Amino acid sequence: MARHQVPGLLDRLGTLWREFVAPQGGSALAHLDPDLPDEQLLHLREQMQACLDARGGDVSARTRAAALGHVYLGLSELGRRRFLTLMATEFSPDRDVVDRAIAELEAADDAEREQAAFHVYQALQPPRINLLKQFNILPDGVKFLVDMRAELLKFRSGHPELDGLERDLMEILTGWFDIGFLELRRITWDTSPAAVLEKIISYEAVHEIRSWDDLKNRLDSDRRLYGFFHPRMPDEPLIFVQVALLNGIADNVHDLLDVNAPVGDPALADTAVFYSISNAQKGLSGISFGNFLIKKVVSTLSAEFPSLKAFATLSPLPGFRVWLEQQVEKDGDDLLLPAETKAVTALVRRKGNGARPPALGLFGRLLSAELWQSDKDTAEVMRPILLRLATIYLVSARRFPEKGNVPVAIDPVAHFHLSNGARIERLNWMGDRSERGIRQSAGLMVNYLYRLQDIEKNHEGYSSRGTAALSSALKGWLKG
């Protein structure tokens, strides 16, 4: 079936919050143009200031917040960006107040210094933080702010004036979504609400769920699906993981997702394979739940199935193909070892094409060929080359984050698992033969192994030096 779409909460709240908006409330805002032209910004600023003034008690505060939120929901994308820009620029810290507080601190003696420092702290708190927190008193107000941040992240590119507002909102959400507030919940076919099942279909980001039968297969007795939930968003998964209970580590995703495959006995399984981890809320990007999710699920599965001896993933390499094409463009056939060059040259000649190689070289020609993976001879030559280069990619392709001086993997999935203490265990040739798998990962998939006794050591090596723990089999590819 087509990818399922769940109505956005930013639209649904328009009806839910209407009952809180007084009939006469915000009359100046009742007929705003969706694009929010300049001449209407003054009325909006007055409404925001009224929310901050907080006159009239809790009921009035809720009415004003609902009116302001209702305005936001009725705007176009351009109007929402202008709304957020107004909040970011007009309700930032007052520079004069900050300067006076700093001067007070510099002049303070020891007895006055702590109080003066507190005044600096107060002066630096932008009024927009209190404006954002106003939405927390509304039904689904937390989800409203999560989705608002998702839009902020989208708008922020090319609009640095929004950076401060985005940071403020992230700080608020980081506090509200502390791991101590989250609940791990198993999602099942029989007991989970239909609304949650629909959202699993919609939010699945790794292997598209194509039908209700597909979803039911992923929730069968030899499968587990767990998600983290927040009490203020009880029907909205924050992040969820899909697990297969098997004998041995899976080497391809097609067998795992085969709806006609026989159902295994989970009590006899010795391996739990995490084959999909999806962040469901774009507005919580940068707030880490994944490492806690894996640890919690490992603990839960270990208690339920004492026979489990290994915990591993079957993961894509979503950045590999882009990185590989960049290397080919830069180095051409110089990427290849002598034996690989010989094999590629012989293959091209055998296929009846003896022309001079293009700028990207013979290997680049093979890689760019349509359906190269379906030709047996081509795939046989490409296999050792791609496995070797993929190992180099996982071990050596690094970048420096904005904060910190330790290089991290450029592949986001590799970074996630390496930072959580996993070891790169095995590369699987044609583990994902789908169009997306070929386009992103050249068909390869990787097993990351979580050995409980090595997690801390592996995490320390990666976080302090950027070093990836590697199995002996993959070390052999590097030697080659």
Side-chain angles (χ1 to χ4, degrees):
M1 73 178 183
R3 190 168 181 81
H4 208 84
Q5 295 297 322
V6 175
L9 187 128
L10 285 177
D11 299 317
R12 181 168 62 82
L13 285 180
T15 301
L16 180 62
W17 288 357
R18 191 174 294 126
E19 64 182 272
F20 296 111
V21 182
Q24 74 281 9
S27 58
L29 304 179
H31 303 291
L32 289 182
D33 187 289
D35 289 341
L36 201 60
D38 290 345
E39 60 270 18
Q40 296 180 350
L41 288 177
L42 176 60
H43 300 307
L44 181 58
R45 188 188 188 286
E46 291 173 350
Q47 178 74 7
M48 291 181 177
Q49 188 61 54
C51 283
L52 288 175
D53 292 342
R55 294 186 297 268
D58 291 343
V59 174
S60 296
R62 185 173 65 177
T63 299
R64 284 190 294 268
L68 192 60
H70 203 266
V71 167
Y72 184 80
L73 296 168
L75 297 174
S76 66
E77 183 172 294
L78 172 60
R80 290 180 180 180
R81 179 169 63 78
R82 291 173 64 81
F83 179 107
L84 295 170
T85 300
L86 178 68
M87 187 184 295
T89 56
E90 293 294 315
F91 296 91
S92 58
D94 187 313
R95 293 186 179 183
D96 292 337
V97 174
V98 172
D99 289 343
R100 287 196 297 269
I102 293 174
E104 176 190 344
L105 177 61
E106 291 173 342
D109 57 29
D110 291 344
E112 300 169 331
R113 193 166 186 81
E114 184 172 342
Q115 183 66 28
F118 180 66
H119 289 163
V120 173
Y121 169 79
Q122 287 181 310
L124 288 171
Q125 301 308 300
R128 61 189 177 230
I129 289 182
N130 290 329
L131 197 55
L132 292 169
K133 289 180 178 179
Q134 291 281 331
F135 296 107
N136 191 34
I137 63 178
L138 296 172
D140 284 329
V142 173
K143 172 60 173 167
F144 173 80
L145 290 176
V146 169
D147 285 359
M148 178 183 278
R149 181 167 180 259
E151 294 199 310
L152 259 175
L153 292 171
K154 179 176 65 176
F155 296 150
R156 197 178 60 172
S157 177
H159 296 279
E161 66 275 10
L162 294 174
D163 287 351
L165 176 61
E166 188 276 319
R167 287 194 300 268
D168 291 341
L169 187 48
M170 180 176 181
E171 183 176 353
I172 292 172
L173 294 175
T174 299
W176 289 351
F177 285 85
D178 182 272
I179 190 65
F181 298 141
L182 306 186
E183 172 196 0
L184 181 72
R185 193 187 306 171
R186 180 182 170 193
I187 298 166
T188 71
W189 181 260
D190 296 322
T191 62
S192 296
V196 172
L197 298 181
E198 285 185 333
K199 287 166 184 171
I200 293 298
I201 293 174
S202 176
Y203 293 149
E204 166 59 27
V206 183
H207 303 294
E208 180 182 354
I209 299 175
R210 299 180 179 277
S211 67
W212 286 103
D213 285 341
D214 188 358
L215 177 62
K216 190 173 183 180
N217 178 58
R218 302 189 196 199
L219 300 175
D220 218 326
S221 60
D222 60 346
R223 300 286 189 267
R224 291 293 185 272
L225 198 158
Y226 296 96
F228 266 148
F229 292 80
H230 190 277
R232 293 293 303 276
M233 294 168 53
D235 294 327
E236 284 282 348
L238 310 181
I239 183 173
F240 57 92
V241 60
Q242 300 177 55
V243 187
L245 303 173
L246 307 170
N247 286 300
I249 300 177
D251 62 3
N252 77 88
V253 74
H254 304 287
D255 289 347
L256 286 182
L257 301 181
D258 183 359
V259 297
N260 298 313
V263 178
D265 184 348
L268 301 179
D270 62 13
T271 305
V273 175
F274 300 76
Y275 64 92
S276 177
I277 300 176
S278 296
N279 287 298
Q281 307 295 327
K282 293 181 180 179
L284 296 177
S285 175
I287 303 174
S288 178
F289 310 119
N291 54 341
F292 296 104
L293 177 67
I294 288 180
K295 291 174 183 176
K296 190 75 172 176
V297 170
V298 166
S299 176
T300 300
L301 290 173
S302 296
E304 185 179 0
F305 301 107
S307 61
L308 292 176
K309 306 301 180 186
F311 298 89
T313 78
L314 182 64
S315 303
L317 294 80
F320 174 56
R321 185 69 182 262
V322 170
W323 173 86
L324 180 60
E325 290 173 351
Q326 290 171 347
Q327 306 310 304
V328 169
E329 184 175 355
K330 182 175 67 173
D331 296 327
D333 288 339
D334 289 342
L335 280 175
L336 305 182
L337 301 174
E340 294 168 346
T341 300
K342 183 177 180 181
V344 167
T345 303
L347 174 68
V348 172
R349 289 174 178 170
R350 192 163 66 248
K351 293 294 183 180
N353 188 344
R356 294 179 61 188
L360 297 182
L362 296 177
F363 175 63
R365 179 188 299 175
L366 293 180
L367 186 65
S368 61
E370 186 176 358
L371 300 178
W372 60 263
Q373 71 280 1
S374 300
D375 181 80
K376 181 180 178 181
D377 292 339
T378 303
E380 184 177 343
V381 170
M382 295 286 274
R383 182 179 186 276
I385 299 173
L386 291 177
L387 288 172
R388 180 180 65 83
L389 293 175
T391 305
I392 293 173
Y393 168 71
L394 289 171
V395 172
S396 304
R398 296 289 186 264
R399 64 176 178 84
F400 283 94
E402 291 182 8
K403 297 180 180 179
N405 55 6
V406 178
V408 301
I410 63 173
D411 188 274
V413 176
H415 173 63
F416 174 79
H417 290 296
L418 293 175
S419 62
N420 288 334
R423 181 176 84 181
I424 308 174
E425 184 67 11
R426 186 176 70 190
L427 280 164
N428 300 294
W429 176 249
M430 290 297 119
D432 184 357
R433 301 185 300 275
S434 69
E435 179 183 349
R436 181 179 183 180
I438 298 297
R439 184 179 69 251
Q440 292 189 338
S441 308
L444 302 179
M445 298 196 79
V446 57
N447 300 124
Y448 297 95
L449 181 67
Y450 284 87
R451 297 182 62 189
L452 301 185
Q453 65 270 30
D454 295 335
I455 283 178
E456 290 303 322
K457 179 183 67 176
N458 294 343
H459 166 76
E460 177 62 26
Y462 181 72
S463 61
S464 63
R465 300 183 299 277
T467 304
L470 202 64
S471 69
S472 58
L474 288 184
K475 290 177 182 177
W477 284 114
L478 293 179
K479 292 178 182 177

